[in-house]
Amino acid sequence: MKNYLAALQAKTSQSDYEKLAAIDNTEVHRAVYESAELCNPDSVFICSDTPDEVAYIRNMAIVSGEESAALAIPGHTFHFDGPQDQGRDRAVTKLLVPKGEHLNEALNQIEREEGLTEVLGLCRDSMKGRTMIVRFLTLGPANSEFTVFCLECTDSWYVAHSVDLLYRKGYDAFRKAGAGTEFFNTLHSAGKLDEKMISINHKKKRIYIDYTDNMVYSINNQYAGNSIGFKKLALRLAIRKAHKEGWLAEHFMIMGVFGPKKRKTYIAGAFPSACGKTSTAMLPGEKILADDIGYVRNIGGVCRAVNIECGIFGIIQDINPDDDPLIHEILTSPGEIIYSNVLIKDAKPWWQGMDVELPKNGTNYTGDWFEGKTDEKGEKISPAHKNARYTVALNAVSNCDPELDNPAGVELGGILYGGRDYRSYVPVQQGYDWEHGIVAYGAALETETTFAIVEAEGKHEINIMSIQDFISIPLGQYLHNYLQFGKKLNKPPLVFGVNYFLRDLETGEFLNDHQDKHIWVKWMELRINKDVDAIKTPTGWIPKYEDLKPLFRQVLDKDYSKKDYTKQFSIRVSENLAKLNRVEAFYHENIPDVSSEVWHVLTEQRSRLIKAQKKFGNYIPPESFCT
Ligand code: SPV
Ligand code: MN
């Protein structure tokens, strides 16, 4: 067998060599050797997670120019991605599928050999003149049933620095685990950079996931959702692993919601990007455990979950003291934060929706920016990008849940799903049981596309469990696994559907305030603990006015009128039937072999709606369902 360590010696210092040699796992040596051999960096830096090394990485991000520390608040830095690299890039993110294997056409894919030839060609010599940084980490707490080992080789100090805020350090865990330990392997290169240290070969941006080899390749990009292997890229690998082993890897926030007498109930939630996931997880007075990805397992019949990350890569648009007080406080306090794609002026970051007047000029992801600046298509460039972000460690957040690193995870009492649905679903409802909730709210999740992906905004689409872009097994199989998972639990979590985006059909106005979501999670907490009753409607259980009114008073100090309640919670039969038509058409077209349970739930929902329509008409106030 080749001596990978010896072959790496020319590119590593003695101490780096020893750090790598101390991990007794030939596959790790091979992974580092093969990435270095392919990308041909001048040197290889092995990070063993010492405070000095971590500080060195952050410093190099600044010295290299990928980040700048020219901000007034200590600890804050900023980074820019290129104009064509401002979000996850669906079109060039593909699964490598071996010949003879078939995945649904809705999943973006390329034949494995063809994809490998292409991406390996692009990676060849891509790190020439640079250092390849090697980071070890674990997804989920170490020493836990949930732990997944990961390795990243990157030539971006910004990526290596971001990893530090977002993930758990794993060098020691790799050392302890020793020979034979399986791991996810990710390779990233920013490719050619301009003088501002921005990737310029955006036409050759490729992000390929080779699930046969547990390997991710990402080239010619920097946006963290494209470049950091452990976000949605390793999630695709995790979904395959979960499928084999009988657990779930999900696009979940996880929060601890307080009920009476300081009772804390954990609720997980899946939302498409930019639909309120982080701001739900960050509700003031509650605890945040996760804001993006969770692993969920059946442990002794109990549904338990962990955050695979330990930081937040959050959208900064619309963060202001009224709507998101906790996040706003973090963003204006000293501490380690990386801003990306905000406007910089007077040593301060600026973003859209921060509720102050923005400067008329400054520096942004397009370079010097001034009001009225247009792009090559003649379209106005906004001061900060809508998908501008902040990266911060969760333990810097005052409401971080103390169970974050519990190797046993936390018990989930509820799971919620929500998308941008302007017309049909009520603001909050509860499924009759696991199957109904999973299918009616998760598998039938409809939304509008947002700015978090590089594509047209505002297109309607089905986004199964808000995770459809990241599913790496047949979609029908994914749903089947989900349904089965709940059946094996002693007490499956209650399943809820939320809709923060319901509008008045005539005026088009939103029917809820930004903060109202706090009431919905408080109501869920009460339902999970059997403290309140609910009203049975054709689409699920909805809250009673008399339970919401005091919650609005206690939590938001707000008067909640019966008129508002009726508007928000009336069942819109024709809109719901139209939604069902779209959902069923999607399933016929994309997943004709989906399990009969899914059709059963959809068919029953249709017949309940039609029955109610015959009796009460198209718009049915909640009272009609009270018997
Ligand atoms: C999302 O867009 O869902 C995110 C950020 O959480 S990204 O890392 O781009 O996936
Ligand atoms: Mn996400």
Side-chain angles (χ1 to χ4, degrees):
M1 199 198 329
K2 192 174 172 77
N3 188 339
Y4 301 113
L5 276 174
L8 271 167
Q9 226 161 358
K11 300 211 177 210
T12 51
S13 68
Q14 184 61 23
S15 78
D16 283 317
Y17 173 86
E18 281 164 16
K19 286 183 259 175
L20 190 58
I23 296 174
D24 176 24
N25 188 334
T26 321
E27 286 305 306
V28 168
H29 305 160
R30 181 160 78 105
V32 176
Y33 165 78
E34 285 181 350
S35 292
E37 169 68 15
L38 174 66
C39 301
N40 196 15
D42 286 5
S43 60
V44 176
F45 171 66
I46 307 289
C47 179
S48 67
D49 301 335
T50 64
D52 281 355
E53 289 167 344
V54 168
Y56 172 71
I57 287 174
R58 179 176 184 273
N59 190 46
M60 284 305 292
I62 297 164
V63 171
S64 67
E66 283 189 86
E67 288 177 41
S68 164
L71 290 177
I73 301 184
H76 292 195
T77 57
F78 63 89
H79 159 86
F80 293 124
D81 302 304
Q84 274 81 18
D85 191 23
Q86 292 288 320
R88 267 189 285 111
D89 200 331
R90 270 181 175 172
V92 298
T93 307
K94 297 183 185 171
L95 295 162
L96 300 181
V97 180
K99 267 206 183 84
E101 268 185 38
H102 295 285
L103 286 178
N104 308 68
E105 277 171 32
L107 303 178
N108 215 1
Q109 56 201 290
I110 181 167
E111 195 272 312
R112 181 170 183 262
E113 287 307 317
E114 183 192 339
L116 269 181
T117 308
E118 183 189 11
V119 78
L120 293 176
L122 291 171
C123 288
R124 178 139 317 278
D125 293 332
S126 61
M127 297 186 185
K128 230 172 166 178
R130 296 196 205 137
T131 302
M132 182 173 96
I133 308 130
V134 183
R135 297 231 47 173
F136 300 93
L137 55 111
T138 64
L139 300 179
N143 303 317
S144 141
E145 214 175 303
F146 292 93
T147 316
V148 170
F149 291 80
C150 280
L151 175 68
E152 169 134 21
C153 295
T154 177
D155 59 3
S156 163
W157 297 101
Y158 158 69
V159 167
H161 178 204
S162 301
V163 162
D164 212 64
L165 298 179
L166 294 173
Y167 297 95
R168 295 177 177 89
K169 296 175 178 46
Y171 177 79
D172 282 343
F174 263 90
R175 264 186 75 160
K176 280 192 200 117
T181 305
E182 253 188 50
F183 57 94
F184 293 166
N185 184 10
T186 75
L187 171 59
H188 165 257
S189 170
K192 281 213 174 62
L193 301 169
D194 66 10
E195 70 291 346
K196 287 181 279 174
M197 297 302 281
I198 290 179
S199 291
I200 48 176
N201 255 340
H202 62 89
K203 291 207 172 107
K204 293 189 173 159
K205 188 195 314 178
R206 294 290 181 277
I207 302 149
Y208 286 176
I209 297 107
D210 184 9
Y211 58 74
T212 53
D213 232 3
N214 272 339
M215 173 91 197
V216 171
Y217 300 91
S218 174
I219 172 91
N220 293 321
N221 66 73
Q222 290 162 301
Y223 170 73
N226 296 321
S227 60
I228 300 180
F230 318 112
K231 281 243 154 223
K232 305 306 174 350
L233 310 180
L235 178 57
R236 289 161 169 96
L237 301 178
I239 287 174
R240 291 193 71 95
K241 187 171 164 67
H243 162 59
K244 277 190 230 135
E245 298 173 1
W247 47 277
L248 302 175
E250 293 304 312
H251 193 197
F252 270 172
M253 68 85 188
I254 304 168
M255 65 187 301
V257 181
F258 287 103
K261 300 203 181 118
K262 298 226 165 108
R263 175 180 70 201
K264 188 165 58 168
T265 305
Y266 289 95
I267 298 179
F271 297 78
S273 311
C275 291
K277 184 145 64 84
T278 304
S279 58
T280 305
M282 278 284 209
L283 284 166
E286 317 298 345
K287 294 286 183 193
I288 177 170
L289 188 112
D291 102 306
D292 200 29
I293 306 176
Y295 290 168
V296 187
R297 281 180 179 264
N298 174 342
I299 300 182
V302 178
C303 183
R304 303 193 69 92
V306 294
N307 184 358
I308 69 144
E309 309 183 288
C310 62
I312 304 178
F313 175 58
I315 295 172
I316 201 167
Q317 175 170 250
D318 292 335
I319 303 283
N320 58 62
D322 289 336
D323 291 333
D324 289 285
L326 291 175
I327 305 174
H328 190 265
E329 186 196 313
I330 298 158
L331 297 183
T332 44
S333 310
E336 209 170 337
I337 295 178
I338 312 171
Y339 290 96
S340 53
N341 307 321
V342 292
L343 176 75
I344 303 293
K345 169 82 178 176
D346 300 333
K348 275 201 242 166
W350 305 79
W351 55 89
Q352 306 199 49
M354 70 192 284
D355 268 7
V356 294
E357 204 184 320
L358 297 193
K360 306 271 180 266
N361 58 47
T363 308
N364 78 358
Y365 65 97
T366 64
D368 284 337
W369 176 85
F370 48 88
E371 202 168 61
K373 185 173 180 182
T374 52
D375 62 18
E376 62 272 19
K377 288 191 205 129
E379 280 170 26
K380 268 210 177 126
I381 298 170
S382 56
H385 195 275
K386 284 182 180 178
N387 196 31
R389 302 256 173 173
Y390 60 92
T391 302
V392 69
L394 260 173
N395 61 15
V397 176
S398 59
N399 62 329
C400 174
D401 192 79
E403 303 301 319
L404 175 65
D405 289 319
N406 185 342
V410 295
E411 176 174 355
L412 292 185
I415 296 179
L416 64 92
Y417 300 97
R420 272 176 201 254
D421 171 359
Y422 296 143
R423 291 168 301 219
S424 34
Y425 272 165
V426 293
V428 63
Q429 55 188 335
Q430 180 201 325
Y432 307 128
D433 53 25
W434 177 260
E435 284 81 2
H436 175 251
I438 292 301
V439 175
Y441 311 143
L445 195 140
E446 245 196 332
T447 197
E448 271 198 14
T449 50
T450 66
F451 50 79
I453 42 176
V454 196
E455 242 179 49
E457 272 181 55
K459 279 192 315 191
H460 280 276
E461 60 181 19
I462 306 288
N463 185 342
I464 295 176
M465 271 80 176
S466 307
I467 201 175
Q468 195 168 307
D469 279 354
F470 322 128
I471 296 178
S472 49
I473 57 176
L475 294 173
Q477 182 73 57
Y478 170 82
L479 286 175
H480 176 76
N481 293 354
Y482 224 114
L483 290 166
Q484 289 303 111
F485 181 82
K487 283 187 199 155
K488 291 184 189 147
L489 295 165
N490 293 343
K491 195 175 86 179
L494 299 191
V495 185
F496 300 91
V498 292
N499 182 13
Y500 302 160
F501 298 91
L502 187 67
R503 291 179 191 252
D504 185 299
L505 286 174
E506 276 158 25
T507 65
E509 271 167 45
F510 285 113
L511 288 182
N512 289 102
D513 286 341
H514 198 82
Q515 291 92 344
D516 292 357
K517 56 171 83 76
H518 206 160
I519 307 305
W520 315 148
V521 298
K522 288 292 204 196
W523 178 76
M524 291 176 210
E525 203 279 340
L526 296 175
R527 284 293 291 167
I528 292 165
N529 292 287
K530 301 195 169 61
D531 284 358
V532 289
D533 290 334
I535 302 168
K536 194 171 188 186
T537 78
T539 57
W541 294 97
I542 63 168
K544 291 183 157 176
Y545 174 66
E546 54 269 35
D547 293 322
L548 294 183
K549 191 176 165 63
L551 285 176
F552 269 95
R553 177 58 65 204
Q554 282 156 28
V555 180
L556 300 177
D557 196 20
K558 203 163 131 178
D559 192 33
Y560 184 55
S561 74
K562 186 77 187 264
K563 199 167 142 227
D564 281 346
Y565 168 76
T566 305
K567 263 196 192 169
Q568 294 161 6
F569 286 93
S570 286
I571 301 299
R572 301 172 173 192
V573 178
S574 35
E575 281 70 21
N576 271 286
L577 287 172
K579 174 189 168 77
L580 271 177
N581 291 343
R582 293 189 296 271
V583 172
E584 291 186 358
F586 171 86
Y587 275 85
H588 277 302
E589 191 180 326
N590 294 288
I591 330 179
D593 59 339
V594 76
S595 76
S596 55
E597 278 164 296
V598 173
W599 289 120
H600 182 73
V601 170
L602 296 175
T603 312
E604 296 262 289
Q605 183 121 328
R606 181 183 292 279
S607 52
R608 281 191 305 272
L609 282 161
I610 290 171
K611 205 166 141 205
Q613 189 181 40
K614 283 195 184 126
K615 200 161 164 198
F616 303 114
N618 261 332
Y619 299 99
I620 314 176
E623 292 79 22
S624 303
F625 299 107
C626 298
T627 44

